[in-house]
Amino acid sequence: MNDITVSAPSKFVILGEHAVVYGKPAIALAIDRRFTVRVRRSNEFRINNEASDIRTSPHMRYIIGQHNMIPVSVNLDSKVPAGSGLGSSAALSVAFSAALRALNGFRLNPESIAKEAYEAEYYAQGRGSPMDTSVSTHGHGIALNVPNSKENHLWNISKNDKTWDISKIEVPKMTFVIGYTGIRAPTGPLVEKVRKYKDRNKFASDIVDEIGNITLEGMDKIRKNDVEGLGKIMTYDHKLLSILGVSCNELNKLVDASLPYSYGAKLTGSGGGGCMVALTDKPKIVSDVIASRGGIPYIVSTGVDGVKIEYN
Ligand code: MEV
């Protein structure tokens, strides 16, 4: 085999961000915006048809290092903005890990890919949960830290003294509009902000517990394809996250503008910028109002496959 094309989906967090840091449940959904990676053996490292040392990308350097690989030529095509919180680096890591395995003639084992891609993310960022890499590998939806989910158990991922229990959720086709504020807001300081608030204040700790409770309710709504119920929980979650101090004017503006045409809307990911998401059956209108308030809209669908070989 001398030419392999693999794609992996990006994602958004529908419920549970920030609370997941304290062991509460969180749910991420894969979306139909994919990262595509084409690899072939070469006599030098190349990216997008130009000689380049792909080991300058920490994600690819880590993964190459796991595969005792001769030089490869890599073509990358991403349908999501980098640094927006939609998991583009996780999708790259997942697709690249799968592509190298296929190039070496191995069958794709999702658990091994999810674990290797998570290690690559950790190597590149020094932190983070395995939520993005697991959902990009499995597709559809995944939940972390859900109690009693034996029949839906996918895999455990451990790092240092922490173990995450990852379970799968079948996700119906739903339409969402993601609104990117264009603001890159690093996750670390926002997680720290919530940690300090929570440590000082019982009220903040109750909010984190409440996010955990509504995330479990939301999982039930997803399974039942109850878009109205799910939308209400999303909007409530946005209020709780705002009280924790992780929203911002730009996110609130896009959420408020979307709500009259949506079942619900909220920030997604760490907040402070990045993206919001609205669940709607009027995607064109929501997309227009997001654009008119200065956001960059993406109409996306859920219920999509995880990592897969496109051509070989
Ligand atoms: C960021 O996408 C989600 C957070 O909960 C951080 C994390 O889980 O690592 C804010």
Side-chain angles (χ1 to χ4, degrees):
M1 259 180 231
N2 45 16
D3 200 322
I4 306 272
T5 302
V6 172
S7 76
S10 53
K11 67 94 207 6
F12 68 90
V13 182
I14 183 154
L15 291 166
E17 52 272 90
H18 285 287
V20 69
V21 174
Y22 309 98
K24 305 291 173 201
I27 306 169
L29 304 184
I31 52 176
D32 60 347
R33 295 227 152 213
R34 302 183 76 87
F35 205 123
T36 303
V37 173
R38 179 158 64 91
V39 292
R40 62 182 176 283
R41 291 177 201 283
S42 169
N43 48 16
E44 60 177 355
F45 283 108
R46 294 176 76 80
I47 298 187
N48 294 340
N49 308 321
E50 284 183 16
S52 165
D53 190 345
I54 63 172
R55 290 165 298 181
T56 53
S57 147
H59 297 85
M60 294 204 275
R61 178 167 68 235
Y62 178 85
I63 292 167
I64 280 273
Q66 303 302 301
H67 291 269
N68 191 18
M69 185 53 89
I70 55 157
V72 282
S73 171
V74 185
N75 285 73
L76 305 172
D77 177 24
S78 172
K79 301 288 182 235
V80 283
S84 61
L86 298 179
S88 81
S89 69
L92 161 66
S93 301
V94 166
F96 190 53
S97 166
L100 292 189
R101 282 156 200 267
L103 196 65
N104 280 331
F106 295 121
R107 267 189 54 240
L108 299 190
N109 173 324
E111 182 168 349
S112 307
I113 294 168
K115 288 184 171 167
E116 184 172 275
Y118 171 58
E119 288 295 336
E121 285 267 279
Y122 195 90
Y123 173 79
Q125 294 165 11
R127 61 167 304 284
S129 76
M131 178 153 56
D132 292 12
T133 42
S134 285
V135 72
S136 185
T137 305
H138 177 69
H140 309 279
I142 60 121
L144 271 69
N145 307 333
V146 173
N148 307 322
S149 65
K150 272 206 181 77
E151 77 276 21
N152 294 312
H153 178 75
L154 265 183
W155 46 68
N156 288 335
I157 296 190
S158 302
K159 186 80 200 167
N160 304 328
D161 56 350
K162 250 181 141 168
T163 296
W164 288 271
D165 183 336
I166 317 274
S167 44
K168 61 185 172 188
I169 314 175
E170 268 321 305
V171 178
K173 280 244 174 288
M174 293 184 276
T175 305
F176 292 85
V177 183
I178 289 174
Y180 180 33
T181 58
I183 302 168
R184 277 173 173 242
T187 302
L190 289 149
V191 169
E192 260 326 287
K193 184 174 181 184
V194 173
R195 186 186 302 283
K196 280 194 190 134
Y197 190 17
K198 186 177 167 302
D199 285 351
R200 277 199 318 261
N201 199 309
K202 167 82 171 70
F203 174 70
S205 182
D206 290 346
I207 301 272
V208 166
D209 289 345
E210 177 73 347
I211 292 178
N213 295 337
I214 64 168
T215 299
L216 290 178
E217 281 175 40
M219 193 152 92
D220 193 45
K221 306 290 183 205
I222 293 170
R223 288 199 169 115
K224 294 182 176 146
N225 197 7
D226 174 0
V227 285
E228 282 179 25
L230 180 59
K232 282 192 186 125
I233 293 174
M234 288 170 63
T235 306
Y236 181 41
D237 192 34
H238 182 73
K239 289 182 188 154
L240 297 177
L241 288 165
S242 303
I243 296 169
L244 288 181
V246 294
S247 193
C248 62
N249 287 341
E250 289 80 1
L251 282 167
N252 290 341
K253 209 164 58 178
L254 302 186
V255 166
D256 290 348
S258 305
L259 277 175
Y261 314 102
S262 303
Y263 297 110
K266 65 182 282 284
L267 69 85
T268 176
S270 43
C275 292
M276 51 69 68
V277 60
L279 173 58
T280 180
D281 56 9
K282 300 183 184 67
K284 177 75 178 80
I285 300 178
V286 173
S287 183
D288 288 347
V289 295
I290 286 174
S292 74
R293 302 297 196 287
I296 304 164
Y298 300 92
I299 297 175
V300 301
S301 295
T302 55
V304 303
D305 289 337
V307 64
K308 62 181 180 193
I309 295 180
E310 301 284 352
Y311 316 104
N312 62 33

